[in-house]
Amino acid sequence: MFAFILESLTSLLLAGVLVYVVFTWARIKNRERLQQILLAIIFSVTAVSLDVVAMQLGSYSAHLDFAAGPLVFAGYLGGPVGAVIAGLCTALFRFLMVGPPSNTDVFMNITMPALGLVVSYLIPLPDWPKVRKSAIVALISGCVLLHFPPYFLPTLVDQPQDTVANGFWTMLGFAIISCLSILITWQTLKYALRYADNTNQTADLANRLDLVMRASGVGMFVYKVGETALYYDAGMIAMLGLNRKPGMIQQSEWRPLVHPDDMNRVREEMNTSWARGQYMGNTDYRAFRPDGTIQYIRLSWLAELDANGGVNRITGINSDLTDIREARQKERDSRNRIASVAEKLPGVIIEYDVTEWENPQLLYISPKCVEIWGYTDAELYDNPVLLAQMHDPKDLTTFLKASRKSCETGEPLSWRYMIKARDGQTRWLDHHGGSSTEDGRLYVKAIVLDVTREVELQRRMEEEREIARRAQKNESIGQLTGGVAHDFNNLLAVILGNLELLREDEDPVAQKEMIDAAITATLRGADLTKNMLAFARQAPLNPVRLDLNNVVREAKNWTARALPESVVVETSLLAGLWPIKADRSSLESALLNLTLNARDAMNGHGSLTIETANVRIDNAYVVDRKEDLAPGRYVMLAVSDTGPGIPDDVIGSIFEPFFTTKAPGLGSGLGLSMTEGFMKQSNGTVQVYTERGQGTTFKLYFPATTAETDQPALTLPPQSQAAGNGKTLLLAEDEDAVRVTMVLILEREGYQVTATASGDEAFATFQANPTFDLLLTDIVMPGTLQGTGLAKALRERWPDLPVVFMSGYASEATVHGNGLRPEDIRLMKPVQRTDLLAAVAKAASMAKGKR
């Protein structure tokens, strides 16, 4: 009995060893199907070996053995394949070695693997091959149940019925042995798997450690004092570039690898440490690789002592520092090169560590700093605050904020600032730099240039430019004043001469002609003023709805009188031309100006073509020609000549005021400037196209309009309606002559006029007698209240008061327009009698029923 138990346990332990081998075999690791087959074979062989040492119980044909455990686990862990292998192996052994098996043996050899297979489906293994306790309970319960049929069913046993009935205790013994077999097999399997896991983890850890050491350039050696060989691991072999496997290496092989100057030094350092009782330390040495290159290695060693306290063994970890040494050498070389370059630059290279922004560290400043700040680099390293102290205090805070923002955004920073150097001189510096992050540190690197001479030169150039601008302005004003004075003197001569003749001549017919001549001259003076304002883009425009074709047809008649017969005038007018809104007088003036310029360009001989067309301007056109123009529908008016064209060096200046290519006295140089000003005021543009030897075309683009009707112009009502009928009118005009003339004109029409010389006087007069029907006021006057201010002050108390404004300058209404209303009438001086009376009559009619 003892031999039976000992042999059975030995077989189960051997099975555990084989299971350990299966799960530690690296070549079949993670190959679960192959591992299942091998487990089935191991458990089948174990079951056969247990069957060999089985015990025969009395007269029963069944054998008592521990094969139940391996058979059950062959089906449970090996799956269907394992169950089949276990059943076939035990059956084949019985048939070949023992003879025909009994019914009981056949039944048990088939049902035990089947039991394991069924339990594997009922209680799956989430972490194969580890077995859960619930599965063991199910396996033991099933095993006990399977022992009942062979002893209670006659067909399964070879004994008489009465003998079987008396064998209950024998059956119970078989069941207990089988259950013990399952438990012993489970525990054997459990420990085998645990040891296999430990072995695999140790192997994985060793592999990872080996990989880490190889990847990090670390190697290990072990040297036993007194021996001639030492152990090199794979990392050490790779570090030294040896063509051999890890293992023991003889002194004759490893000694030539160490630099001879370092061999004795390292040995002396170790002996010194041991004498002091220190048995671990660090040191650096050099080694030769087979290719002749030098490796820089750091050795961290640990000495182990023997029983007598002497050094017995030395274990060392070697780290390859070659890359670090080379990087440091490159860094030193780079710094030396930078320093060499910095010496030749007209500025200073500077580097700060600003990881802690409130406490920046000056890392580098080139020695040329003494030429800018007056301090050496050593002085600035000792006291970096000197740089901030010399910085312009008005600019320092702003500069630091800009620098910090540059660091946060990563954008480069260019900054010009002023310093007061050590010698008290003021210098201007340009800072050009940016930031970078290296190894978690934030650095600012910049070059600082001394631009004092450049700033001084720019200042002088600005002063000279200002002097030139003033001289040019004075020259322009002189030209403008001379031209205007010439034209006004001519007009005044006409007016003066006619008035003198009018005083002496009593012939009514002649008097009327003289008066008409004076009026004409006055209107020409008004046109001259209007043209001057057009040049300044301040002309008062009266845009009306126009058919450009009609304007060209009418203009062709009067322009023909300004052209010689040798100039042929042709027109190409588009039918269905879109209407425009423009000031007719300014349009005709621009057309006349372009016509006369074309005549002069052709020297009186050639063809002049006037063309109209509908065009659509898109964004591409605006961008391509860099026009300040809104995309949309436009009407084009083109004037072309067959002259020589405009030279390239002239075309860029033709719209400049006072620029002219004509001889002195033949042109003022204001025509095209006034045309451009008129087109800008009309929300259009003017373009010029020229080709040398072919001619020139000026194109005017007017916005098309969809308005059907225009605001009717002021017209003088019939005489019965134009009379003032006693309406009271308050006049505010600071010019005495103008005021007297207006009073005379208005009183002749039946208005009762109260005249004042300022806005303040008019306000007081109206307050004293607030019965006036309307107010006629100039815009710009002396005193506190201007025309618009007067209207606003009066309308605060009398909101329905009609007001007619007069202005001698177009922008006055804009500058002082805080009292204007859309319905207010505005007149441009000089005002003709008919326009004045029509405006007053219209304003007076608006007052009906309001006061």
Side-chain angles (χ1 to χ4, degrees):
M1 185 67 179
F2 176 76
F4 163 71
I5 295 176
L6 181 61
E7 291 176 355
S8 298
L9 291 178
T10 301
S11 297
L12 291 176
L13 289 176
L14 180 60
V17 172
L18 294 176
V19 170
Y20 170 83
V21 172
V22 168
F23 285 102
T24 56
W25 192 2
R27 297 186 63 179
I28 63 173
K29 187 176 182 180
N30 298 325
R31 298 177 64 179
E32 184 174 323
R33 182 63 62 185
L34 180 58
Q35 289 175 339
Q36 285 182 333
I37 295 174
L38 292 176
L39 287 180
I41 295 174
I42 291 171
F43 288 133
S44 300
V45 172
T46 303
V48 169
S49 66
L50 292 174
D51 199 15
V52 171
V53 297
M55 292 179 58
Q56 184 80 25
L57 291 179
S59 61
Y60 291 97
S61 61
H63 294 79
L64 180 65
D65 57 35
F66 283 86
L71 291 176
V72 167
F73 280 101
Y76 186 69
L77 295 179
V81 175
V84 171
I85 291 175
L88 291 177
C89 286
T90 54
L92 184 61
F93 169 77
R94 282 283 184 177
F95 182 79
L96 294 178
M97 302 300 296
V98 181
S102 64
N103 293 337
T104 303
D105 291 333
V106 172
F107 177 77
M108 298 304 293
N109 289 337
I110 293 176
T111 56
M112 285 300 171
L115 171 64
L117 181 62
V118 171
V119 173
S120 69
Y121 285 108
L122 296 178
I123 306 177
L125 284 79
D127 190 15
W128 187 91
K130 295 182 179 179
V131 182
R132 292 188 292 181
K133 293 181 179 180
S134 57
I136 297 301
V137 173
L139 290 173
I140 292 175
S141 301
C143 180
V144 171
L145 294 176
L146 289 176
H147 279 77
F148 281 90
Y151 296 96
F152 292 97
L153 295 178
T155 58
L156 295 179
V157 297
D158 300 326
Q159 305 297 331
Q161 183 65 29
D162 55 347
T163 305
V164 172
N166 295 328
F168 174 78
W169 295 108
T170 303
M171 176 274 297
L172 184 60
F174 274 96
I176 292 174
I177 292 297
S178 297
C179 291
L180 287 175
S181 174
I182 292 175
L183 290 175
I184 295 172
T185 304
W186 172 46
Q187 289 299 313
T188 302
L189 178 65
K190 181 178 179 180
Y191 281 101
L193 292 176
R194 179 182 299 175
Y195 289 129
D197 286 343
N198 292 337
T199 302
N200 290 333
Q201 291 177 6
T202 302
D204 290 342
L205 181 60
N207 290 333
R208 286 195 295 268
L209 180 59
D210 183 61
L211 290 175
V212 169
M213 292 184 69
R214 290 188 185 186
S216 60
V218 174
M220 183 184 70
F221 76 87
V222 179
Y223 173 68
K224 187 172 180 61
V225 177
E227 294 185 357
T228 60
L230 53 75
Y231 171 80
Y232 275 180
D233 71 346
M236 197 68 193
I237 295 294
M239 183 185 304
L240 296 176
L242 300 178
N243 186 19
R244 56 166 297 167
K245 294 181 179 180
M248 301 301 294
I249 178 171
Q250 294 298 321
Q251 182 177 2
S252 59
E253 186 177 356
W254 65 261
R255 193 175 184 86
L257 300 177
V258 181
H259 196 287
D261 295 340
D262 297 338
M263 173 69 74
N264 296 329
R265 177 180 55 80
V266 171
R267 184 173 296 172
E268 291 176 0
E269 290 179 0
M270 288 185 178
N271 291 330
T272 302
S273 297
W274 298 339
R276 296 174 181 174
Q278 298 176 357
Y279 298 100
M280 59 185 304
N282 299 306
T283 188
D284 295 342
Y285 70 95
R286 291 164 292 177
F288 297 105
R289 292 174 61 91
D291 58 3
T293 59
I294 296 179
Q295 295 289 104
Y296 294 90
I297 299 175
R298 170 157 294 178
L299 168 62
S300 299
W301 54 269
L302 174 65
E304 300 179 26
L305 304 180
D306 56 18
N308 300 322
V311 176
N312 180 42
R313 186 169 58 180
I314 301 173
T315 302
I317 299 294
N318 293 270
S319 303
D320 190 353
L321 303 180
T322 306
D323 292 342
I324 299 176
R325 297 272 302 224
E326 290 178 352
R328 289 178 177 175
Q329 184 61 43
K330 290 180 179 179
E331 181 181 2
R332 286 193 294 269
D333 294 342
S334 298
R335 287 186 175 273
N336 292 335
R337 285 194 296 270
I338 291 174
S340 178
V341 172
E343 287 298 321
K344 298 177 177 60
L345 287 176
V348 173
I349 296 176
I350 191 168
E351 181 178 0
Y352 274 98
D353 183 345
V354 294
T355 307
E356 299 177 8
W357 186 259
E358 303 302 330
N359 185 29
Q361 303 294 321
L362 178 62
L363 301 181
Y364 177 77
I365 186 167
S366 54
K368 208 168 185 178
C369 59
V370 68
E371 298 180 8
I372 296 180
W373 287 278
Y375 291 93
T376 65
D377 53 344
E379 290 176 314
L380 293 177
Y381 286 135
D382 291 338
N383 189 11
V385 180
L386 291 171
L387 294 173
Q389 292 175 350
M390 289 182 284
H391 196 116
D392 181 9
K394 297 179 182 179
D395 176 75
L396 181 59
T397 302
T398 308
F399 171 71
L400 293 177
K401 289 182 180 179
S403 298
R404 189 163 191 172
K405 184 177 180 181
S406 172
C407 294
E408 293 172 352
T409 61
E411 295 293 330
L413 174 66
S414 294
W415 197 271
R416 176 167 292 183
Y417 61 94
M418 182 180 67
I419 67 165
K420 181 165 286 188
R422 189 176 194 175
D423 57 6
Q425 292 185 4
T426 298
R427 290 187 174 90
W428 286 91
L429 306 180
D430 270 0
H431 171 101
H432 302 282
S435 61
S436 63
T437 301
E438 302 172 12
D439 298 329
R441 310 294 296 180
L442 181 61
Y443 299 98
V444 171
K445 303 176 182 179
I447 180 171
V448 180
L449 304 176
D450 186 352
V451 293
T452 305
R453 294 182 61 186
E454 178 184 343
V455 172
E456 289 295 326
L457 181 60
Q458 288 180 348
R459 183 183 61 81
R460 292 176 185 175
M461 290 178 61
E462 288 294 333
E463 291 177 354
E464 294 175 359
R465 188 181 293 112
E466 179 64 20
I467 294 173
R469 188 189 66 81
R470 291 179 181 176
Q472 184 180 16
K473 179 180 178 182
N474 293 335
E475 181 183 358
S476 301
I477 292 174
Q479 294 180 8
L480 177 62
T481 304
V484 173
H486 177 271
D487 291 341
F488 264 107
N489 284 336
N490 290 336
L491 297 174
L492 293 175
V494 174
I495 296 172
L496 179 61
N498 281 281
L499 291 177
E500 289 176 341
L501 291 173
L502 184 62
R503 184 174 58 186
E504 298 176 357
D505 198 333
E506 297 181 357
D507 183 4
V509 177
Q511 288 179 345
K512 185 177 184 304
E513 292 178 354
M514 297 172 190
I515 293 171
D516 290 342
I519 293 174
T520 301
T522 304
L523 295 177
R524 286 180 59 196
D527 287 338
L528 178 59
T529 304
K530 186 176 183 181
N531 288 336
M532 292 300 301
L533 293 174
F535 155 69
R537 301 183 187 179
Q538 296 292 336
L541 301 182
N542 182 28
V544 295
R545 190 171 184 269
L546 295 174
D547 183 346
L548 197 54
N549 286 342
N550 291 336
V551 175
V552 173
R553 292 189 188 101
E554 296 175 8
K556 185 178 179 182
N557 297 327
W558 50 260
T559 55
R561 293 193 294 269
L563 300 174
E565 294 182 358
S566 56
V567 175
V568 179
V569 180
E570 300 178 353
T571 57
S572 176
L573 307 180
L574 178 70
L577 197 68
W578 295 328
I580 66 170
K581 290 197 72 173
D583 182 87
R584 185 180 184 111
S585 175
S586 299
L587 173 58
E588 291 175 345
S589 178
L591 183 57
L592 176 61
N593 194 315
L594 295 176
T595 301
L596 296 178
N597 283 351
R599 176 201 65 185
D600 297 339
M602 296 185 294
N603 290 324
H605 296 79
S607 296
L608 175 69
T609 303
I610 303 177
E611 179 186 0
T612 60
N614 294 330
V615 296
R616 294 183 182 272
I617 293 180
D618 55 13
N619 284 314
Y621 178 94
V622 174
V623 173
D624 183 54
R625 290 166 176 77
K626 299 179 181 179
E627 284 287 344
D628 184 13
L629 201 65
R633 302 191 311 157
Y634 287 83
V635 179
M636 181 198 71
L637 171 63
V639 178
S640 304
D641 63 61
T642 56
I646 303 175
D648 294 338
D649 58 343
V650 172
I651 194 170
S653 305
I654 60 175
F655 291 107
E656 295 179 2
F658 312 116
F659 179 83
T660 179
T661 58
K662 299 178 182 179
L666 298 181
S668 63
L670 294 176
L672 289 178
S673 296
M674 291 187 289
T675 300
E676 185 186 40
F678 159 64
M679 292 306 299
K680 293 295 184 182
Q681 278 190 282
S682 302
N683 297 320
T685 188
V686 56
Q687 290 285 335
V688 59
Y689 303 86
T690 186
E691 186 174 351
R692 297 306 304 274
Q694 299 297 322
T696 301
T697 299
F698 283 89
K699 293 184 178 181
L700 310 183
Y701 292 90
F702 296 89
T705 182
T706 56
E708 297 296 332
T709 59
D710 293 304
Q711 187 72 18
L714 293 174
T715 56
L716 185 64
Q719 184 65 30
S720 60
Q721 298 179 11
N725 294 326
K727 290 187 181 295
T728 58
L729 188 149
L730 178 61
L731 172 64
E733 170 60 57
D734 61 306
E735 289 290 338
D736 295 339
V738 176
R739 186 171 64 251
V740 171
T741 302
M742 286 187 172
V743 169
L744 183 59
I745 293 173
L746 292 170
E747 286 182 343
R748 284 185 179 181
E749 289 298 314
Y751 292 98
Q752 297 180 16
V753 183
T754 300
T756 59
S758 68
D760 298 331
E761 183 182 349
F763 183 76
T765 301
F766 201 102
Q767 278 189 317
N769 181 23
T771 60
F772 292 98
D773 293 303
L774 62 93
L775 171 66
L776 175 63
T777 178
D778 192 7
I779 290 182
V780 178
M781 296 180 291
T784 304
L785 291 176
Q786 305 291 300
T788 52
L790 171 63
K792 184 177 181 180
L794 292 176
R795 281 171 167 171
E796 289 179 355
R797 296 182 60 184
W798 299 280
D800 297 328
L801 176 66
V803 180
V804 177
F805 292 96
M806 298 179 296
S807 175
Y809 184 51
S811 66
E812 292 172 357
T814 303
V815 176
H816 308 288
N818 54 1
L820 293 174
R821 292 179 179 176
E823 67 271 14
D824 290 336
I825 300 172
R826 281 160 282 182
L827 300 175
M828 181 67 183
K829 293 180 180 180
V831 184
Q832 288 187 272
R833 173 179 171 275
T834 54
D835 292 338
L836 174 63
L837 294 177
V840 172
K842 182 178 180 182
S845 66
M846 294 170 58
K848 292 181 180 180
K850 295 183 179 181
R851 297 180 58 80

